[in-house]
Amino acid sequence: MPESRSSFPWMKIQVTTVPDARLVATATRRVMRRPVLIARVTGWALLLLTASLLVVTGELEPMPLAGGALLALALPVFLHTSTARQAARSGRLTTYEISEQGLASSSAESRHAYTWKAFRSVERLSGQLLFGMGGARFVPVPTGGLSAAQIDQVLAAASAGGLRVG
């Protein structure tokens, strides 16, 4: 076992699976909550402004109407679908490795490795761990092939590494 830089005994956990579209959609909704809320509130504010202008001036202003509709309705759908599509793009067998160095994922097309410092948080969602990097960037790791003890070990390691665990 490699020597740990902290008092936490390190492990290497590996799980190989095909990304689950349902889990990726759940993770996407979780991560995109704030940007979608901002878009919706801004869109509805523009629609309210359009309605106010119509009442006051008697004229329908097409720009705030179109902008409000796009922000309130179309942009949230686009954000969800594009982020989920990007996260589950390969749909092929992916191997996730969690170790002292951090988290790595690899498939037949690519390999991505992140140190623990790249992450801000890790959340335990149903069927997955969601490693957040800030903004809309995240790495969902399915937990179907992990025991409860291994999941707890990963969460403890993340916490010991300074990540916010939720």
Side-chain angles (χ1 to χ4, degrees), residues 65-114:
L65 177 65
L70 282 173
L71 286 172
L73 305 170
L75 186 61
V77 171
F78 172 76
L79 288 174
H80 281 289
T81 56
S82 65
T83 304
R85 189 175 296 129
Q86 181 181 7
R89 182 168 287 151
S90 73
R92 294 184 177 91
L93 201 60
T94 303
T95 299
Y96 301 92
E97 296 174 12
I98 303 168
S99 68
E100 179 178 9
Q101 289 75 34
L103 172 65
S105 66
S106 59
S107 66
E109 295 83 28
S110 64
R111 177 166 171 78
H112 304 277
Y114 306 95

Side-chain angles (χ1 to χ4, degrees), residues 47 50 53 59-69:
L47 290 172
T50 302
L53 288 174
E59 293 182 25
L60 182 63
E61 295 292 331
M63 292 304 285
L65 177 65

